[in-house]
């Protein structure tokens, strides 16, 4: 069968999205938009390098085209679904300049490194940024190195969070469990750190070696893959043999944290006394979340300054003190 493979990847000249075909009332966020493709980084567990294999792995629209697409969207709120909206500083800076004065409010994704880049975050906030998805992934520098997440090394997590909060931006932190450096204490350590930092929402994922990634190739070479049922490759199931945690413990703890983070978000806004209230058998992790919430006064989503100071220690990833 003949196969056509394009070696040119570009958004220049792409036709307008047929938004008239979208039944907006069926979508929670109908004003979703993507103005770039891919990411400039190469984390070994990310699908991006596999998906974009054989061509450019990161490229953007022309700024004028992106602004025109934004202008066509009704309402005030936007959701940028780009893997890394701040990944090209020149493009992002020009985009935010063009959005200034539009009166939009929006959320997006960016890296710790981009948050600390002088001037860019301020421009984003002036253009309407109110919530940012940030891939912290792990608090362990050795794990960051092993998975090629070099953009997080030598970055101060606490300073990045404080910069976002000081500018009025909510933090949606992303964490990955099951790396070879993780033991069963990683869940408590991560939860305690995240709550003390005042992160408003969090997503927790099980390390997943997607086919075509460097992580998949490494796991396969080591004989650690346990299934080829692609329906299970969803960051909620363990599809490989972890180094220090049993698959059952990894799935159970990640599931509890996912449910707890959702309940915790409701409790901070809806008046519930505790995330485990009303549950038949609150687990140790749920109780630990409640203990940390009580210790730092979680009614205020931003932690006291001394909590930031306590986490300002040195190391390859700074700001990770307990």
């Amino acid at each position: 069968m003949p196969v056509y493979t394009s070696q040119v990847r570009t958004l220049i000249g792409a036709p307008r999205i047929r938004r008239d075909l979208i039944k907006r009332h069926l979508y929670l966020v109908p004003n979703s938009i993507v103005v770039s493709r891919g990411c400039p980084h190469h984390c070994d567990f990310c699908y991006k390098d596999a998906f974009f294999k054989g061509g450019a792995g990161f490229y953007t629209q022309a700024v004028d085209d992106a602004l025109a697409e934004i202008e066509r969207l009704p309402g005030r709120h936007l959701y940028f679904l780009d893997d890394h909206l701040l990944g090209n500083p020149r493009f992002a800076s020009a985009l935010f300049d063009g959005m200034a004065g539009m009166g939009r409010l929006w959320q997006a994704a960016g890296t710790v490194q981009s948050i600390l880049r002088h001037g860019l975050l301020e421009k984003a906030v002036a253009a309407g940024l109110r919530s940012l998805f940030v891939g912290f992934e792990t608090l362990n520098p050795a794990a960051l190195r092993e998975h090629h997440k070099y953009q997080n090394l030598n970055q101060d997590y606490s300073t990045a969070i404080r910069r976002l909060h000081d500018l009025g931006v909510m933090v949606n932190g992303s964490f990955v469990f099951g790396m070879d450096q993780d033991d069963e204490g990683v869940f408590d350590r991560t939860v305690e750190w995240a709550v003390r930092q005042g992160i408003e929402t969090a997503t927790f994922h099980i390390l997943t070696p997607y086919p075509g990634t460097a992580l998949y190739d490494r796991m396969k070479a080591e004989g650690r893959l346990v299934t080829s049922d692609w329906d299970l490759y969803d960051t909620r199931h363990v599809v490989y043999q972890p180094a220090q945690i049993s698959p059952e413990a990894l799935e159970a703890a990640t599931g509890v944290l996912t449910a707890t983070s959702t309940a915790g978000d409701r409790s901070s806004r809806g008046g519930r006394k505790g995330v485990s209230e009303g549950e038949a058998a609150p687990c140790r992790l749920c109780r630990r979340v409640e203990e940390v919430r009580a210790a730092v006064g979680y009614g205020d989503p931003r932690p006291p300054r001394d909590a930031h100071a306590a986490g300002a220690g040195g190391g390859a990833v700074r700001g990770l003190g307990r």
Side-chain angles (χ1 to χ4, degrees), residues 56-304:
F58 182 56
Y59 47 101
T60 70
Q61 281 186 305
V63 173
D64 287 346
D65 290 344
L67 291 173
E69 178 64 21
I70 293 170
E71 288 278 15
R72 286 193 291 271
L73 294 173
R76 192 179 186 194
H77 295 88
L78 307 176
Y79 193 164
F80 286 96
L81 297 177
D82 303 70
D83 290 322
H84 186 2
L85 184 63
L86 310 178
N88 181 328
R90 179 179 296 181
F91 168 81
S93 180
L95 179 70
F96 302 152
D97 283 342
M99 291 179 65
M102 284 186 177
R104 300 286 192 169
L105 298 178
W106 48 274
Q107 56 186 311
T111 63
V112 175
Q113 184 183 60
S114 65
I115 294 166
L116 296 172
R117 187 176 289 124
H118 180 70
L120 190 59
L121 183 61
E122 286 77 4
K123 279 193 173 186
V125 172
L129 174 66
R130 293 298 181 268
S131 177
L132 194 69
F133 177 94
V134 184
F136 297 107
E137 317 306 6
T138 176
L139 309 184
N140 189 322
L144 291 174
R145 290 192 191 93
E146 181 176 42
H147 292 285
H148 303 169
K149 200 169 183 73
Y150 302 121
Q151 67 272 22
N152 276 26
L153 284 169
N154 300 308
Q155 307 293 338
D156 192 325
Y157 282 12
S158 292
T159 297
I161 293 168
R162 187 162 59 249
R163 271 177 57 76
L164 288 168
H165 283 165
D166 287 348
L167 289 167
V169 179
M170 293 177 57
V171 180
N172 179 7
S174 174
F175 300 91
V176 176
F177 295 127
M179 298 177 179
D180 285 355
Q181 293 77 11
D182 290 346
D183 56 26
E184 291 199 8
V186 70
F187 309 107
D188 276 349
R189 291 194 299 271
T190 303
V191 167
E192 180 174 345
W193 178 85
V195 174
R196 285 191 178 279
Q197 296 297 317
I199 292 175
E200 286 81 6
T201 60
T203 55
F204 302 97
H205 310 273
I206 294 171
L207 184 69
T208 301
Y210 296 116
T213 63
L215 177 62
Y216 180 89
D217 293 341
R218 175 158 59 87
M219 290 286 186
K220 185 175 182 179
E222 295 173 1
R224 296 172 62 185
L225 297 177
V226 297
T227 180
S228 294
D229 182 350
W230 308 129
D231 287 341
L232 299 179
Y233 281 62
D234 58 1
T235 80
R236 290 289 173 264
H237 296 86
V238 180
V239 297
Y240 68 100
Q241 182 57 52
Q244 300 189 61
I245 311 174
S246 71
E248 295 77 15
L250 181 52
E251 284 190 7
T254 305
V256 165
L257 287 178
T258 298
T260 302
S261 66
T262 303
D265 184 63
R266 288 197 302 268
S267 84
S268 66
R269 291 163 174 77
R272 285 184 58 190
K273 293 182 179 179
V275 296
S276 57
E277 181 177 288
E279 294 175 2
C283 71
R284 179 174 58 86
L285 285 171
C286 293
R287 290 195 299 270
R288 183 57 180 152
V289 170
E290 283 304 288
E291 290 169 2
V292 177
R293 286 179 185 275
V296 301
Y298 196 72
D300 180 354
R302 290 173 57 180

